[in-house]
C-alpha cells in the first residue's frame, strides 16, 4: 500500500455544503469501488475515513459509504438541495478520474462539471479560506508516510491546519487531536484516534475516496533493493 489518502475536500463553509446531509449525500453518490476497479486497475483500497488501513489506530469498523444514489437523493431532498450544481477543481493529471466522479454524481441528480487547474495555482486557493469561498470540491490527496495519525490529522483535519482545504472545524475533534499530541500512552492515543475517525466520518468534510498502491518496476539485474 501507498501512504496517500485521496479525497474530495468539500467547501464546508459554503451553502449548501455547510449542511452535513449534503456532504453525506456526496459520499453516497460516488462509487469508489467501480472507479478503483475500472480506472485504477484494482490497485487501490476504498476508504471510509481519513487513515490508511496500515496506520496506527486505524478503525476498520467505520461504516461504509456504499454507493447509493437513492440515499443520496433522499438526503439532498431533506436538505433542500435536490437541484445541486457543483464544480470539481482538479489538476491536469487527475482530470479523467474527476470526470468519472462528475458523471457518477449525475445519477444522484447532481449536475457536476470539472475545472482543470495548474497545481501551483489551485492548491494555494484551496488552502486560503478567503480565496476558496466560491469553490465547491477539490480532488486532491494528503500523505501519511509515518503511518501515525498525527501526520495526516493535524494538518488536514484539525481546524486551521495547513492542509485543511475543506475548512473543516469541529472543536471537539480539535480538542481530542491536541490531547493525542501530548499523550504518551499508546493505548490512550489509539482510543482518541478511534473517536476522532468516527466523528470525522460522520461529519463527512470530504468525499472519502481511496488509498492507491505504490507500483515499482525493477530490472532483474538489480540486487539488494
Amino acid at each position: 500500500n501507498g501512504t496517500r489518502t485521496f479525497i474530495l475536500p468539500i467547501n464546508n463553509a459554503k451553502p449548501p455544503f455547510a449542511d452535513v446531509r449534503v456532504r453525506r449525500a456526496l459520499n453516497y453518490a460516488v462509487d469508489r469501488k467501480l472507479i478503483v476497479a475500472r480506472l485504477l486497475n484494482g490497485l487501490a483500497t476504498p476508504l471510509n475515513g481519513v487513515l490508511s488501513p496500515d496506520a496506527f489506530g486505524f478503525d476498520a469498523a467505520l461504516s461504509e459509504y456504499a454507493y447509493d444514489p437513492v440515499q443520496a437523493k433522499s438526503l439532498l431532498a431533506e436538505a433542500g438541495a435536490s437541484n445541486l450544481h457543483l464544480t470539481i477543481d482538479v489538476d491536469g493529471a487527475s482530470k479523467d478520474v474527476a470526470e468519472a466522479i462528475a458523471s457518477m454524481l449525475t445519477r444522484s441528480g447532481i449536475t457536476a462539471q470539472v475545472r482543470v487547474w495548474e497545481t501551483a495555482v489551485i492548491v494555494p486557493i484551496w488552502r486560503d479560506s478567503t480565496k476558496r469561498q466560491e469553490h465547491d470540491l477539490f480532488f486532491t490527496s494528503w500523505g501519511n508516510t509515518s503511518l501515525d495519525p498525527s501526520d495526516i490529522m493535524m494538518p488536514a483535519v484539525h481546524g486551521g491546519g495547513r492542509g485543511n482545504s475543506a475548512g473543516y472545524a469541529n472543536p471537539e475533534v480539535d480538542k481530542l487531536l491536541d490531547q493525542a499530541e501530548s499523550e504518551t500512552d499508546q493505548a490512550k492515543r489509539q482510543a482518541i484516534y478511534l473517536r476522532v475517525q468516527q466523528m470525522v466520518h460522520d461529519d463527512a468534510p470530504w468525499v472519502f475516496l481511496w488509498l492507491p498502491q505504490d507500483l515499482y518496476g525493477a530490472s532483474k539485474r538489480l540486487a539488494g533493493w
Side-chain angles (χ1 to χ4, degrees):
N1 283 333
T3 56
R4 297 199 71 83
T5 292
F6 276 72
I7 54 177
L8 272 174
I10 305 165
N11 190 344
N12 284 215
K14 180 183 178 182
F17 308 114
D19 190 320
V20 68
R21 292 172 295 184
V22 174
R23 301 196 300 271
R24 289 173 181 169
L26 289 171
N27 273 278
Y28 286 119
V30 176
D31 190 341
R32 302 158 181 73
K33 292 180 178 178
L34 182 61
I35 293 178
V36 168
R38 298 288 179 83
L39 294 183
L40 305 180
N41 297 312
L43 300 172
T45 300
L47 297 177
N48 296 295
V50 180
L51 298 181
S52 160
D54 298 323
F56 169 74
F58 171 73
D59 187 356
L62 287 177
S63 60
E64 180 184 2
Y65 277 113
Y67 179 55
D68 190 343
V70 174
Q71 175 74 343
K73 288 180 180 179
S74 176
L75 287 168
L76 290 172
E78 288 179 20
S82 293
N83 297 313
L84 182 60
H85 290 68
L86 60 83
T87 298
I88 302 173
D89 293 328
V90 65
D91 63 21
S94 302
K95 177 175 178 287
D96 291 347
V97 175
E99 288 180 340
I101 292 173
S103 177
M104 283 178 179
L105 294 179
T106 64
R107 301 172 194 167
S108 298
I110 301 167
T111 301
Q113 64 178 358
V114 173
R115 183 165 46 187
V116 180
W117 299 75
E118 292 291 335
T119 303
V121 175
I122 191 58
V123 169
I125 289 175
W126 271 89
R127 292 189 184 173
D128 186 309
S129 60
T130 301
K131 293 180 180 178
R132 70 168 173 259
Q133 286 181 356
E134 301 304 315
H135 295 256
D136 302 328
L137 278 70
F138 177 36
F139 184 88
T140 188
S141 65
W142 195 269
N144 184 19
T145 54
S146 71
L147 292 176
D148 186 275
S150 174
D151 193 27
I152 186 170
M153 287 186 170
M154 288 302 288
V157 174
H158 194 288
R162 63 189 176 90
N164 189 344
S165 298
Y168 174 58
N170 182 324
E172 183 62 22
V173 166
D174 291 352
K175 180 181 177 181
L176 289 169
L177 290 177
D178 289 339
Q179 290 177 3
E181 287 296 287
S182 58
E183 179 58 65
T184 57
D185 185 313
Q186 287 292 72
K188 291 181 179 179
R189 287 187 78 231
Q190 182 175 19
I192 290 172
Y193 288 130
L194 288 173
R195 288 180 61 191
V196 169
Q197 286 173 85
Q198 186 64 62
M199 294 170 73
V200 174
H201 170 277
D202 294 345
D203 287 341
W206 311 330
V207 176
F208 303 105
L209 296 177
W210 48 74
L211 182 96
Q213 294 178 6
D214 288 344
L215 305 180
Y216 300 90
S219 167
K220 293 180 179 179
R221 295 173 294 171
L222 181 64
W225 183 77

